Amino acid sequence: MISTLLSIAILVLAVGVLGIGGLYLYRASRSFRSAYTLRQRCRTPIREAVDHSGMVELEGTVAPIDSKTVTAPFSGTDCLAYIYRTKERIDSSTPADAPRSSDGKYALLDEGTEAVEFFLEDETGRVRVDPTSGEFEFSTETYEHMPWRDLPEPITRYVESTPAVDSQDPVLDSVPILSAIATWLVRNDRRFVEGRIESGQSIYVRGSVEPDSRWETGADAIVESGSEPSSIVIYNVPKRATAWRFAKRGGRELVLGVAALSAVVVLGYGYVFV
């Protein structure tokens, strides 16, 4: 009886691990395909891209329009676009409805994005980029709350002004000394993630090119979300770096997929010989 139950448990576990491995391998294939597609495409000069309407892929240097910028919340940097996420390691005090990160180890406490229109230019021309309703695929910086190191002042102000992030526990918060001790102990459980586009940075953009009705901006055209379901996608690194990012992601997913399938082989061996 015990042998039968053990065999069933091994079989169920093997099926689950097989599904996880298959998912990782599928995601790896998509990542590698994206990297290959990006590497195969030739760079299109902005002047050539604006001569026709429709979806284009452009690479160039960004510049502000009328000196308009936004301030990134964690670094305090004046920039043209930013994303941020605040994550906390999952434990018994984590809100049950808090969304999980992709690795399942962190809960997402807060996130947001802000951007202004900006110029994208190369040696051939200039376009105005409207990031409204855009998707941001940014490389990011992570600030960790370590016990021996204070957070940068912008993050301290952000934490104090954001209830969902500042509060640790209703009971502990009512006792200042306990709250201070708890805050010190869980510092390394918090991660503040920020990605941004700064003036003069080289970026990669996929979007729809349309004639620019605001000619006073000095742009040849505007890149924005088109009529198609997909919106404008903005990467805060050049095309080659974007392709390399997809390749690295695919490599990690491939390793995880192969590891999962290897585990299935081991479990299958155990199932056969139990």
Side-chain angles (χ1 to χ4, degrees):
M1 179 64 179
I2 296 179
S3 178
T4 302
L5 292 178
L6 182 58
S7 298
I8 293 175
I10 292 176
L11 179 60
V12 172
L13 181 59
V15 171
V17 175
L18 180 64
I20 294 174
L23 176 61
Y24 274 118
L25 291 178
Y26 170 72
R27 292 173 59 178
S29 67
R30 292 186 58 184
S31 296
F32 284 133
R33 185 165 58 250
S34 297
Y36 176 78
T37 300
L38 285 172
R39 290 288 294 172
Q40 290 298 108
R41 289 172 179 161
C42 297
R43 176 187 175 188
T44 303
I46 289 178
R47 179 66 267 169
E48 294 182 13
V50 300
D51 286 337
H52 68 279
S53 298
M55 297 297 294
V56 296
E57 300 184 8
L58 302 174
E59 182 177 358
T61 302
V62 296
I65 298 177
D66 298 330
S67 301
K68 292 181 179 179
T69 61
V70 291
T71 302
F74 298 157
S75 65
T77 303
D78 289 334
C79 57
L80 303 173
Y82 68 79
I83 62 171
Y84 74 89
R85 293 187 296 273
T86 303
K87 302 190 294 183
E88 181 179 65
R89 189 177 296 278
I90 296 174
D91 58 22
S92 59
S93 65
T94 303
D97 58 347
R100 266 44 172 178
S101 59
S102 58
D103 60 10
K105 297 179 180 179
Y106 286 84
L108 185 63
L109 300 181
D110 186 31
E111 65 178 341
T113 182
E114 187 178 8
V116 294
E117 293 184 357
F118 56 84
F119 289 128
L120 179 68
E121 53 192 11
D122 63 11
E123 63 277 6
T124 69
R126 165 190 281 185
V127 292
R128 179 168 58 93
V129 177
D130 181 3
T132 305
S133 302
E135 298 178 13
F136 301 105
E137 293 285 346
F138 287 179
S139 59
T140 57
E141 298 175 354
T142 299
Y143 305 86
E144 296 197 42
H145 210 170
M146 308 301 289
W148 57 85
R149 184 181 65 193
D150 291 332
L151 286 171
E153 182 61 28
I155 299 182
T156 300
R157 292 196 301 268
Y158 159 79
V159 171
E160 293 174 348
S161 62
T162 309
V165 176
D166 183 43
S167 178
Q168 297 293 333
D169 184 273
V171 176
L172 293 177
D173 287 344
S174 64
V175 183
I177 295 179
L178 293 180
S179 178
I181 294 174
T183 300
W184 188 89
L185 290 174
V186 302
R187 278 184 170 187
N188 58 344
D189 286 343
R190 292 286 179 87
R191 287 185 174 180
F192 303 89
V193 182
E194 179 184 279
R196 58 187 180 271
I197 294 177
E198 300 179 39
S199 180
Q201 190 171 344
S202 180
I203 70 169
Y204 173 61
V205 176
R206 291 192 292 117
S208 179
V209 172
E210 302 294 341
D212 192 350
S213 59
R214 291 165 48 186
W215 291 106
E216 67 273 13
T217 64
D220 298 314
I222 178 173
V223 183
E224 57 187 351
S225 298
S227 58
E228 303 178 8
S230 59
S231 62
I232 182 175
V233 183
I234 302 172
Y235 302 84
N236 66 342
V237 293
K239 185 178 74 170
R240 176 171 295 187
T242 301
W244 177 235
R245 182 191 300 173
F246 279 116
K248 289 192 296 183
R249 181 189 304 173
R252 291 192 299 266
E253 293 163 344
L254 178 62
V255 169
L256 291 172
V258 171
L261 295 183
S262 300
V264 171
V265 172
V266 174
L267 290 171
Y269 181 84
Y271 172 75
V272 170
F273 290 98
V274 166

Coordinates of all heavy atoms in Angstrom, one line a residue, residues 170-244:
P170 N 0.2 46.6 12.0 CA -0.6 47.5 12.8 C -0.3 47.5 14.3 O -0.3 48.5 14.9 CB -2.0 47.0 12.5 CG -1.9 46.3 11.2 CD -0.6 45.7 11.2
V171 N 0.0 46.3 14.8 CA 0.3 46.2 16.3 C 1.7 46.8 16.6 O 1.8 47.7 17.5 CB 0.3 44.7 16.7 CG1 0.7 44.7 18.2 CG2 -1.1 44.1 16.5
L172 N 2.7 46.5 15.7 CA 4.0 47.0 16.0 C 4.0 48.5 15.7 O 4.7 49.3 16.4 CB 5.0 46.3 15.0 CG 5.3 44.9 15.3 CD1 6.3 44.3 14.2 CD2 5.9 44.6 16.7
D173 N 3.3 49.0 14.8 CA 3.3 50.4 14.5 C 2.7 51.2 15.7 O 3.1 52.4 15.8 CB 2.4 50.7 13.2 CG 3.1 50.3 12.0 OD1 4.4 50.0 12.0 OD2 2.5 50.2 10.9
S174 N 1.9 50.6 16.5 CA 1.4 51.3 17.6 C 2.4 51.5 18.8 O 2.2 52.3 19.7 CB 0.1 50.6 18.2 OG 0.5 49.3 18.6
V175 N 3.5 50.8 18.7 CA 4.5 50.9 19.7 C 5.8 51.3 19.0 O 6.5 50.5 18.3 CB 4.8 49.5 20.4 CG1 5.8 49.7 21.5 CG2 3.5 49.0 21.0
P176 N 6.2 52.6 19.2 CA 7.3 53.1 18.4 C 8.6 52.3 18.5 O 9.3 52.1 17.5 CB 7.5 54.5 19.0 CG 6.2 54.9 19.5 CD 5.6 53.6 20.0
I177 N 9.0 51.8 19.7 CA 10.2 51.1 19.9 C 10.2 49.8 19.1 O 11.1 49.4 18.4 CB 10.5 50.8 21.4 CG1 10.7 52.1 22.1 CG2 11.7 49.9 21.6 CD1 11.0 52.0 23.6
L178 N 9.0 49.0 19.3 CA 8.9 47.8 18.6 C 8.9 48.0 17.0 O 9.5 47.2 16.3 CB 7.6 47.1 19.0 CG 7.6 46.6 20.4 CD1 6.2 45.9 20.7 CD2 8.7 45.6 20.7
S179 N 8.3 49.1 16.6 CA 8.2 49.4 15.2 C 9.6 49.7 14.7 O 10.0 49.2 13.6 CB 7.3 50.6 15.0 OG 7.3 51.0 13.6
A180 N 10.4 50.4 15.4 CA 11.8 50.7 15.0 C 12.6 49.5 14.9 O 13.4 49.3 14.0 CB 12.4 51.7 16.0
I181 N 12.5 48.6 15.9 CA 13.2 47.3 15.9 C 12.8 46.5 14.7 O 13.6 45.9 13.9 CB 13.0 46.5 17.2 CG1 13.6 47.3 18.3 CG2 13.7 45.2 17.1 CD1 13.4 46.7 19.7
A182 N 11.5 46.4 14.5 CA 11.0 45.6 13.3 C 11.4 46.1 12.0 O 11.8 45.4 11.1 CB 9.4 45.5 13.4
T183 N 11.4 47.5 11.9 CA 11.9 48.1 10.6 C 13.3 47.8 10.4 O 13.7 47.4 9.3 CB 11.7 49.6 10.7 OG1 10.3 49.9 10.9 CG2 12.2 50.3 9.4
W184 N 14.2 47.8 11.4 CA 15.6 47.5 11.3 C 15.8 46.1 10.9 O 16.6 45.7 10.0 CB 16.3 47.8 12.6 CG 17.8 47.7 12.5 CD1 18.7 48.7 12.1 CD2 18.6 46.5 12.7 NE1 20.0 48.2 12.1 CE2 19.9 46.9 12.5 CE3 18.3 45.2 13.1 CZ2 21.0 46.0 12.6 CZ3 19.3 44.3 13.2 CH2 20.7 44.7 13.0
L185 N 15.0 45.1 11.4 CA 15.2 43.7 11.2 C 14.8 43.3 9.8 O 15.3 42.4 9.2 CB 14.4 42.9 12.2 CG 14.9 42.9 13.6 CD1 14.0 42.1 14.5 CD2 16.3 42.3 13.7
V186 N 13.8 44.0 9.2 CA 13.3 43.6 7.9 C 13.8 44.5 6.8 O 13.4 44.4 5.6 CB 11.7 43.7 7.8 CG1 11.1 42.8 8.9 CG2 11.2 45.1 8.0
R187 N 14.8 45.3 7.1 CA 15.3 46.2 6.0 C 15.8 45.4 4.8 O 15.5 45.8 3.7 CB 16.5 47.0 6.6 CG 16.1 48.2 7.4 CD 17.3 49.0 7.8 NE 16.9 50.2 8.4 CZ 17.8 51.2 8.7 NH1 19.1 51.0 8.6 NH2 17.4 52.3 9.2
N188 N 16.5 44.3 5.0 CA 17.0 43.5 3.8 C 15.9 42.8 3.1 O 16.1 42.0 2.2 CB 18.1 42.6 4.2 CG 17.6 41.6 5.3 OD1 16.6 41.8 5.9 ND2 18.4 40.6 5.5
D189 N 14.6 42.9 3.6 CA 13.5 42.3 2.9 C 12.8 43.2 1.9 O 11.9 42.8 1.2 CB 12.4 41.8 3.9 CG 12.9 40.6 4.7 OD1 13.8 39.9 4.2 OD2 12.3 40.3 5.7
R190 N 13.3 44.4 1.8 CA 12.7 45.4 0.9 C 13.6 45.6 -0.3 O 14.8 45.8 -0.1 CB 12.4 46.7 1.6 CG 11.3 46.6 2.7 CD 9.9 46.6 2.0 NE 8.9 46.5 3.0 CZ 8.3 47.5 3.6 NH1 8.7 48.7 3.3 NH2 7.4 47.4 4.5
R191 N 13.0 45.7 -1.5 CA 13.8 46.1 -2.7 C 13.0 47.2 -3.4 O 11.8 47.1 -3.6 CB 14.0 44.9 -3.6 CG 14.9 43.8 -3.0 CD 15.2 42.7 -4.0 NE 16.2 41.8 -3.5 CZ 16.7 40.8 -4.2 NH1 16.2 40.4 -5.3 NH2 17.6 40.0 -3.7
F192 N 13.8 48.2 -3.8 CA 13.3 49.3 -4.5 C 13.9 49.3 -5.9 O 15.1 49.5 -6.0 CB 13.6 50.6 -3.8 CG 13.0 50.7 -2.4 CD1 13.8 50.2 -1.3 CD2 11.8 51.1 -2.1 CE1 13.3 50.2 0.0 CE2 11.3 51.1 -0.8 CZ 12.1 50.7 0.2
V193 N 13.1 49.1 -6.9 CA 13.6 48.9 -8.3 C 13.2 50.1 -9.2 O 12.0 50.5 -9.2 CB 13.0 47.6 -8.9 CG1 13.6 47.3 -10.3 CG2 13.3 46.4 -8.0
E194 N 14.2 50.6 -9.9 CA 13.9 51.8 -10.8 C 14.6 51.6 -12.1 O 15.7 51.2 -12.2 CB 14.3 53.0 -10.0 CG 14.1 54.3 -10.8 CD 14.7 55.5 -10.1 OE1 14.0 56.0 -9.2 OE2 15.8 55.9 -10.4
G195 N 13.9 52.0 -13.2 CA 14.4 52.1 -14.5 C 14.0 53.4 -15.1 O 12.9 53.9 -14.8
R196 N 14.9 54.0 -15.9 CA 14.6 55.4 -16.4 C 15.3 55.6 -17.7 O 16.2 54.9 -18.1 CB 15.0 56.4 -15.4 CG 16.5 56.4 -15.0 CD 16.8 57.3 -13.8 NE 18.2 57.2 -13.5 CZ 18.7 56.3 -12.6 NH1 17.9 55.5 -12.0 NH2 20.0 56.3 -12.4
I197 N 14.9 56.7 -18.4 CA 15.5 57.2 -19.6 C 16.0 58.6 -19.3 O 15.2 59.5 -18.9 CB 14.5 57.2 -20.8 CG1 14.2 55.8 -21.2 CG2 15.2 57.9 -22.0 CD1 13.2 55.7 -22.3
E198 N 17.2 58.9 -19.5 CA 17.8 60.2 -19.2 C 18.2 60.9 -20.5 O 18.5 60.2 -21.5 CB 19.0 60.1 -18.3 CG 18.7 59.5 -17.0 CD 19.9 59.3 -16.1 OE1 20.8 60.3 -16.1 OE2 20.1 58.3 -15.4
S199 N 18.2 62.2 -20.5 CA 18.6 62.9 -21.7 C 20.0 62.5 -22.1 O 20.9 62.4 -21.3 CB 18.6 64.4 -21.3 OG 19.0 65.2 -22.5
G200 N 20.2 62.3 -23.5 CA 21.4 61.9 -24.0 C 21.6 60.4 -24.1 O 22.6 60.0 -24.7
Q201 N 20.7 59.7 -23.6 CA 20.8 58.2 -23.6 C 20.4 57.6 -24.9 O 19.5 58.1 -25.6 CB 19.9 57.7 -22.5 CG 20.1 56.2 -22.2 CD 19.3 55.8 -20.9 OE1 18.9 56.7 -20.1 NE2 19.1 54.5 -20.7
S202 N 21.0 56.6 -25.3 CA 20.7 55.9 -26.6 C 19.6 54.8 -26.3 O 19.8 54.0 -25.4 CB 21.9 55.2 -27.2 OG 21.6 54.5 -28.4
I203 N 18.5 54.8 -27.0 CA 17.4 53.9 -26.7 C 16.9 53.3 -28.0 O 17.3 53.7 -29.1 CB 16.2 54.6 -26.0 CG1 15.5 55.6 -26.9 CG2 16.7 55.3 -24.7 CD1 14.2 56.1 -26.4
Y204 N 16.0 52.3 -27.9 CA 15.4 51.6 -29.0 C 13.9 51.7 -28.8 O 13.3 51.5 -27.7 CB 15.9 50.2 -29.0 CG 15.2 49.2 -29.9 CD1 15.3 49.4 -31.3 CD2 14.6 48.1 -29.5 CE1 14.8 48.6 -32.2 CE2 14.0 47.2 -30.4 CZ 14.1 47.5 -31.8 OH 13.6 46.6 -32.7
V205 N 13.2 52.0 -29.9 CA 11.7 52.2 -29.9 C 11.0 51.5 -31.0 O 11.5 51.5 -32.2 CB 11.4 53.7 -30.0 CG1 9.9 54.0 -30.0 CG2 12.0 54.5 -28.8
R206 N 9.9 50.8 -30.7 CA 9.0 50.3 -31.7 C 7.7 50.9 -31.6 O 7.1 50.9 -30.5 CB 8.9 48.7 -31.5 CG 10.2 48.0 -31.8 CD 9.9 46.5 -31.9 NE 9.6 45.9 -30.6 CZ 8.5 45.3 -30.3 NH1 7.5 45.3 -31.2 NH2 8.3 44.8 -29.1
G207 N 7.2 51.5 -32.7 CA 5.9 52.2 -32.6 C 5.4 52.6 -34.0 O 6.0 52.2 -35.0
S208 N 4.3 53.3 -34.0 CA 3.7 53.8 -35.3 C 4.1 55.2 -35.6 O 4.0 56.1 -34.8 CB 2.2 53.7 -35.2 OG 1.6 54.1 -36.4
V209 N 4.6 55.4 -36.8 CA 5.0 56.7 -37.3 C 3.9 57.4 -38.0 O 3.2 56.9 -38.9 CB 6.2 56.6 -38.2 CG1 6.5 58.0 -38.8 CG2 7.5 56.2 -37.5
E210 N 3.6 58.6 -37.6 CA 2.6 59.5 -38.2 C 3.1 60.9 -38.4 O 4.0 61.3 -37.7 CB 1.3 59.5 -37.3 CG 0.7 58.2 -36.9 CD 0.1 57.5 -38.2 OE1 -0.1 58.2 -39.2 OE2 -0.1 56.3 -38.1
P211 N 2.6 61.6 -39.4 CA 3.0 63.0 -39.5 C 2.8 63.8 -38.2 O 1.8 63.6 -37.5 CB 2.1 63.5 -40.7 CG 1.7 62.3 -41.4 CD 1.6 61.2 -40.4
D212 N 3.7 64.7 -37.9 CA 3.6 65.4 -36.7 C 2.9 66.7 -37.0 O 3.3 67.6 -37.7 CB 5.0 65.8 -36.2 CG 5.0 66.3 -34.8 OD1 3.9 66.6 -34.3 OD2 6.1 66.4 -34.1
S213 N 1.7 66.8 -36.4 CA 0.9 68.0 -36.6 C 1.4 69.3 -35.8 O 1.0 70.4 -36.1 CB -0.6 67.8 -36.1 OG -0.6 67.4 -34.8
R214 N 2.3 69.0 -34.9 CA 2.9 70.1 -34.1 C 4.3 70.4 -34.6 O 5.3 70.2 -34.0 CB 3.0 69.7 -32.6 CG 1.6 69.6 -31.9 CD 1.7 68.8 -30.6 NE 2.8 69.3 -29.8 CZ 3.2 68.8 -28.6 NH1 2.6 67.7 -28.2 NH2 4.2 69.3 -27.9
W215 N 4.3 71.0 -35.8 CA 5.6 71.3 -36.5 C 6.4 72.2 -35.7 O 7.7 72.2 -35.9 CB 5.3 71.8 -37.9 CG 4.7 70.8 -38.8 CD1 3.4 70.7 -39.2 CD2 5.3 69.7 -39.4 NE1 3.2 69.6 -40.0 CE2 4.4 69.0 -40.1 CE3 6.6 69.2 -39.3 CZ2 4.7 67.8 -40.8 CZ3 6.9 68.0 -40.0 CH2 6.0 67.3 -40.8
E216 N 5.9 73.0 -34.8 CA 6.7 73.9 -34.0 C 7.7 73.2 -33.1 O 8.6 73.8 -32.6 CB 5.8 74.8 -33.2 CG 5.0 74.2 -32.1 CD 3.7 73.6 -32.5 OE1 3.5 73.5 -33.8 OE2 2.9 73.3 -31.7
T217 N 7.5 71.9 -32.9 CA 8.4 71.1 -32.1 C 9.7 70.9 -32.9 O 10.7 70.5 -32.3 CB 7.9 69.8 -31.7 OG1 7.6 69.0 -32.8 CG2 6.6 70.0 -30.9
G218 N 9.7 71.0 -34.2 CA 10.9 70.8 -35.0 C 11.2 69.3 -35.3 O 12.2 68.9 -35.7
A219 N 10.1 68.5 -35.1 CA 10.3 67.0 -35.4 C 9.8 66.7 -36.8 O 8.9 67.4 -37.3 CB 9.5 66.2 -34.4
D220 N 10.4 65.7 -37.4 CA 9.9 65.2 -38.7 C 8.6 64.4 -38.7 O 7.9 64.4 -39.6 CB 11.0 64.4 -39.4 CG 12.3 65.1 -39.5 OD1 12.3 66.3 -40.0 OD2 13.4 64.6 -39.2
A221 N 8.4 63.8 -37.5 CA 7.2 63.0 -37.4 C 7.0 62.6 -35.9 O 7.8 63.0 -35.1 CB 7.3 61.7 -38.2
I222 N 5.9 61.9 -35.6 CA 5.7 61.5 -34.2 C 5.6 60.0 -34.2 O 5.0 59.4 -35.1 CB 4.4 62.1 -33.7 CG1 4.1 61.6 -32.2 CG2 3.2 61.8 -34.5 CD1 3.0 62.3 -31.5
V223 N 6.2 59.4 -33.2 CA 6.1 57.9 -33.0 C 5.2 57.7 -31.8 O 5.5 58.2 -30.7 CB 7.5 57.3 -32.7 CG1 7.4 55.8 -32.6 CG2 8.4 57.7 -33.9
E224 N 4.1 57.0 -32.0 CA 3.2 56.8 -30.9 C 2.5 55.4 -31.1 O 2.8 54.6 -32.0 CB 2.1 57.9 -30.9 CG 1.4 57.9 -32.3 CD 0.5 59.1 -32.4 OE1 0.2 59.8 -31.4 OE2 0.0 59.4 -33.5
S225 N 1.5 55.1 -30.2 CA 0.7 53.9 -30.3 C -0.1 54.0 -31.6 O -0.8 55.0 -31.8 CB -0.1 53.7 -29.1 OG 0.6 53.5 -27.9
G226 N -0.1 53.0 -32.4 CA -0.9 53.0 -33.6 C -2.3 52.5 -33.4 O -2.8 52.2 -32.3
S227 N -3.0 52.2 -34.5 CA -4.4 51.7 -34.4 C -4.3 50.2 -34.1 O -5.4 49.6 -33.8 CB -5.1 51.9 -35.8 OG -4.4 51.3 -36.9
E228 N -3.2 49.5 -34.3 CA -3.1 48.1 -34.0 C -3.1 47.9 -32.5 O -2.9 48.8 -31.7 CB -1.8 47.6 -34.6 CG -1.6 47.8 -36.0 CD -0.3 47.3 -36.6 OE1 0.4 46.6 -35.8 OE2 0.1 47.5 -37.7
P229 N -3.5 46.6 -32.1 CA -3.6 46.3 -30.7 C -2.3 46.6 -29.9 O -2.4 47.0 -28.7 CB -4.0 44.8 -30.6 CG -4.6 44.6 -32.0 CD -3.9 45.5 -32.9
S230 N -1.2 46.3 -30.5 CA 0.1 46.5 -29.8 C 0.4 48.0 -29.7 O 0.2 48.8 -30.7 CB 1.2 45.8 -30.5 OG 1.4 46.3 -31.8
S231 N 0.9 48.5 -28.5 CA 1.2 49.9 -28.3 C 2.7 50.1 -28.6 O 3.4 49.2 -28.9 CB 0.8 50.3 -26.9 OG 1.6 49.5 -26.0
I232 N 3.1 51.3 -28.4 CA 4.5 51.6 -28.6 C 5.3 51.0 -27.5 O 4.8 50.9 -26.3 CB 4.7 53.2 -28.6 CG1 6.2 53.5 -28.8 CG2 4.2 53.8 -27.3 CD1 6.4 55.0 -28.9
V233 N 6.4 50.4 -27.8 CA 7.3 49.8 -26.8 C 8.6 50.5 -26.8 O 9.2 50.7 -27.9 CB 7.5 48.3 -27.2 CG1 8.4 47.6 -26.1 CG2 6.2 47.5 -27.3
I234 N 9.1 50.9 -25.6 CA 10.3 51.7 -25.5 C 11.3 50.9 -24.6 O 10.9 50.5 -23.5 CB 9.9 53.1 -24.9 CG1 8.9 53.8 -25.7 CG2 11.2 53.9 -24.7 CD1 8.4 55.1 -25.1
Y235 N 12.5 50.8 -25.1 CA 13.6 50.1 -24.4 C 14.6 51.2 -24.0 O 14.9 52.0 -24.9 CB 14.2 49.0 -25.2 CG 13.3 48.0 -25.7 CD1 12.5 48.1 -26.9 CD2 13.2 46.7 -25.1 CE1 11.7 47.2 -27.3 CE2 12.3 45.8 -25.5 CZ 11.6 46.0 -26.7 OH 10.7 45.0 -27.1
N236 N 15.1 51.2 -22.8 CA 16.0 52.2 -22.4 C 17.5 51.8 -22.7 O 18.4 52.4 -22.1 CB 15.8 52.6 -20.9 CG 16.2 51.5 -20.0 OD1 16.3 50.3 -20.4 ND2 16.4 51.8 -18.7
V237 N 17.7 50.9 -23.6 CA 19.0 50.6 -24.1 C 19.0 50.4 -25.6 O 17.9 50.3 -26.2 CB 19.5 49.2 -23.5 CG1 19.7 49.4 -22.0 CG2 18.5 48.1 -23.7
P238 N 20.1 50.5 -26.3 CA 20.1 50.3 -27.8 C 19.6 48.9 -28.2 O 19.5 48.0 -27.4 CB 21.6 50.5 -28.1 CG 22.2 51.3 -27.0 CD 21.4 50.8 -25.8
K239 N 19.4 48.8 -29.5 CA 18.9 47.5 -30.0 C 19.8 46.3 -29.7 O 19.3 45.3 -29.3 CB 18.7 47.6 -31.6 CG 18.0 46.4 -32.2 CD 17.8 46.6 -33.6 CE 19.1 46.4 -34.4 NZ 18.9 46.3 -35.9
R240 N 21.1 46.5 -29.9 CA 22.0 45.3 -29.6 C 21.9 44.9 -28.2 O 21.9 43.7 -27.9 CB 23.4 45.7 -30.0 CG 24.4 44.6 -29.7 CD 25.8 45.0 -30.2 NE 25.8 45.0 -31.7 CZ 26.9 45.2 -32.4 NH1 28.1 45.3 -31.8 NH2 26.8 45.2 -33.7
A241 N 21.9 45.9 -27.3 CA 21.7 45.5 -25.8 C 20.4 44.9 -25.5 O 20.3 44.0 -24.7 CB 21.9 46.8 -25.0
T242 N 19.3 45.3 -26.3 CA 18.0 44.7 -26.1 C 18.1 43.3 -26.5 O 17.5 42.4 -25.9 CB 17.0 45.5 -26.9 OG1 16.9 46.9 -26.5 CG2 15.6 44.9 -26.7
A243 N 18.7 43.0 -27.7 CA 18.8 41.6 -28.2 C 19.6 40.8 -27.2 O 19.2 39.6 -26.9 CB 19.5 41.6 -29.5
W244 N 20.6 41.3 -26.6 CA 21.5 40.6 -25.6 C 20.6 40.3 -24.4 O 20.8 39.2 -23.7 CB 22.7 41.4 -25.3 CG 23.6 40.8 -24.3 CD1 24.0 41.4 -23.1 CD2 24.2 39.5 -24.3 NE1 24.8 40.5 -22.4 CE2 24.9 39.3 -23.1 CE3 24.1 38.4 -25.1 CZ2 25.6 38.2 -22.8 CZ3 24.8 37.2 -24.8 CH2 25.6 37.1 -23.7

